[in-house]
Every structure is written in structure tokens, then in C-alpha cells.
Amino acid sequence: MTIRRFSATAFAAALLIPGLAACNDNGTAGAGASATPAASGSIAPSGTPAGDAKQALLDSTNAIRDGNFRFTMSGAGSTAEGQVHEPTQSAEMRMTIGDPSSDLMMKLDLVHYKPDSWVKLELGGKAAAGVPGLKNLNLGKYQHLDQTRIQGNRALGFDFDKVDPAGSAVLTQGITEVRQAGDGAYAGTVDVSKAAEAGSLDPAVITALGAQAQSVPFTAKVDPQGRLSELVLQIPAAGQSAAQDVKITYTDYGNAAAAQKPPAGQVVEAPAEFYNLFN
């Protein structure tokens, strides 16, 4: 099997990297749960109009823009978690892509402390030995990244003007139907056809969904302060991708810790082979 270079947006890097998906012979993913949202404009059992429910979800993402929270993301057998701390212009994301049974497993520990970024890369699986430039990748070390070489690369960079790794504000703007499903809980459908901008879904998956992309079921929860705490996209099977749930959570609003810069003794400059891997 030939290992392809990775190509992904920020969230796709954690969950839906095309190059990695092609190397996973298991083809497993969590089955997307079904949902039956109320028609647009209908009244939920609690008496909340659908329009008010959508506005509540739109408003629930406002606190994310303050840039002080912890988050998790999961889907397609991969996970990501970390924190954003805008007061110190720092962020950290730890990602695991695949698992030991996959042909290729990748772990990334990304640290951003403006104006610098570092990443520690670990590779596993039967196909790891076939990764281009493996011997020069400095596995297990924190690699200092040249900002001019990662500019615009959403897999390695971080934009403190767009602090949400999952782009939930963009996703909620695409809600097409919604109802309140309990205290602080919502369900409905969302048009993810433009969700590539959010960074939450691989554009190839959106394309494969076709017309289904316009009405993807979702559930959402907000905390007692009305802030988004959970968003689950129930992605149907499309193309070579099995049905899956993409789950995003937010916690510790206003209480996230600053990222920790890696110890100088564990830092090396990233070689050309590293940047080539993510081009």
C-alpha cells in the first residue's frame, strides 16, 4: 500500500483525513443515529417556537468567540481535545487519528503560543514504515514550525481571529429545522453543504453526501447559561464513508488554562519532510 501525504482542514485533520481513511482497512465508524426533527416553525412540547429554538442555538455560540474554553471532538474512530486561551494567545490540541488496529495511526500534540507553534508527531500501525521521509521526521520531539510555511494550513496553524476549532457558529447558521427536545436540549437538521468553512467536515465527505448534505440530523445541548455544551452531527453513509456521529463538546468557559510551551530540551526545528507530509 502506498502512503499518501496528508491533506486536511483543522477538524478533518483530527477526524476525516482522506489519506488516512484510505489506509484504514477496517472501514469502521460509529453509526449515525436517526432523528426526526419537527417541521420548521412547529411548536416543541415545551411550547418553544422553532424560530426561538434556532435563535437560542445561534446565541449559544457567542461565548466561544471569547476564546477561553476547553473542547473535544470525535468521529470516524478518531478524537481530538484541547483548550483555547485567547488572553495569552495560546492554544493546544491533542489528536489521535485511527487506532492500533489501523494500518496507520497518528498522534499529534499541537501547541500554539503566539507567535510560535510546535507539534509532536507519533506514528503507529503496520504502514507507518512507509510514510515519506520517516527517518527525518524527529518522531517524539516537539518540532518548532516556521510560520511562513504553515500560513493558511489549517491542519498545523491556528487563527486567533477564528478561535473555534470546530466552527460551531458557522454550523448553527446552517440549521434548517429545529425543535426543543427537553430542558437545554435541541434536535433538528442542518445544511452542512457549506460546512467546509467551519473546518468540521472533510470537503470530500460533503461532496459525497450530495443532496443529503442539506438536511443532516443533529442534536445539541446548552449549559444553564445558554452556552453550547454539545453538538452532534449524525452524518449518513456516503461514498466510501460509513455513517458516523461527529460529536463536539465545550466546557470550562472562562476557566481554560494557558497552553504550556514545550521544554527547550525537547524542541527541534521541523525538517522539510515534516511540511511535505502535510502539504
Side-chain angles (χ1 to χ4, degrees):
M1 178 185 61
T2 300
I3 303 299
R4 294 184 291 172
R5 291 186 176 125
F6 297 109
S7 175
T9 60
F11 190 34
L15 307 180
L16 299 168
I17 286 182
L20 182 63
C23 296
N24 188 342
D25 292 333
N26 295 331
T28 57
S34 61
T36 307
S40 179
S42 63
I43 303 299
S46 63
T48 302
D52 291 348
K54 180 174 181 177
Q55 189 59 52
L57 287 178
L58 291 172
D59 292 344
S60 74
T61 65
N62 290 340
I64 298 173
R65 289 196 291 269
D66 292 337
N68 193 330
F69 57 86
R70 296 187 60 81
F71 65 91
T72 69
M73 300 183 281
S74 63
S78 300
T79 61
E81 58 93 16
Q83 71 266 9
V84 176
H85 193 253
E86 199 280 337
T88 57
Q89 296 277 276
S90 69
E92 184 171 7
M93 181 184 291
R94 292 163 295 279
M95 298 181 278
T96 299
I97 306 167
D99 58 56
S101 65
S102 304
D103 277 353
L104 183 64
M105 180 181 71
M106 180 169 72
K107 291 185 178 181
L108 287 170
D109 186 352
L110 285 149
V111 179
H112 304 284
Y113 213 116
K114 201 171 182 178
D116 292 299
S117 298
W118 303 263
V119 61
K120 182 166 67 173
L121 172 66
E122 297 180 35
L123 295 173
K126 295 177 293 184
V131 171
L134 178 66
K135 65 180 181 180
N136 295 323
L137 287 178
N138 296 313
L139 300 182
K141 294 276 190 178
Y142 279 96
Q143 306 193 52
H144 182 254
L145 302 177
D146 181 344
Q147 296 296 312
T148 64
R149 300 190 70 168
I150 65 171
Q151 187 173 8
N153 187 324
R154 295 174 66 186
L156 296 177
F158 191 86
D159 186 351
F160 281 96
D161 292 326
K162 299 178 181 178
V163 295
D164 182 9
S168 292
V170 175
L171 290 173
T172 54
Q173 288 169 11
I175 290 173
T176 53
E177 297 180 359
V178 63
R179 64 181 174 89
Q180 190 164 0
D183 188 17
Y186 301 87
T189 58
V190 59
D191 183 351
V192 299
S193 61
K194 299 180 180 179
E197 176 188 347
S200 302
L201 293 176
D202 184 347
V205 172
I206 298 172
T207 299
L209 286 171
Q212 293 184 95
Q214 298 175 17
S215 56
V216 170
F218 79 91
T219 60
K221 295 178 182 178
V222 299
D223 66 13
Q225 288 73 43
R227 302 170 299 197
L228 186 65
S229 59
E230 179 184 288
L231 178 63
V232 180
L233 303 176
Q234 298 157 355
I235 310 297
Q240 297 181 349
S241 300
Q244 60 183 287
D245 285 356
V246 173
K247 182 178 180 180
I248 306 160
T249 71
Y250 300 91
T251 58
D252 292 341
Y253 284 104
N255 294 306
Q260 298 297 307
K261 297 180 181 180
Q266 297 181 24
V267 174
V268 296
E269 289 297 321
E273 289 83 357
F274 182 85
Y275 298 106
N276 290 340
L277 187 64
F278 288 87
N279 283 340

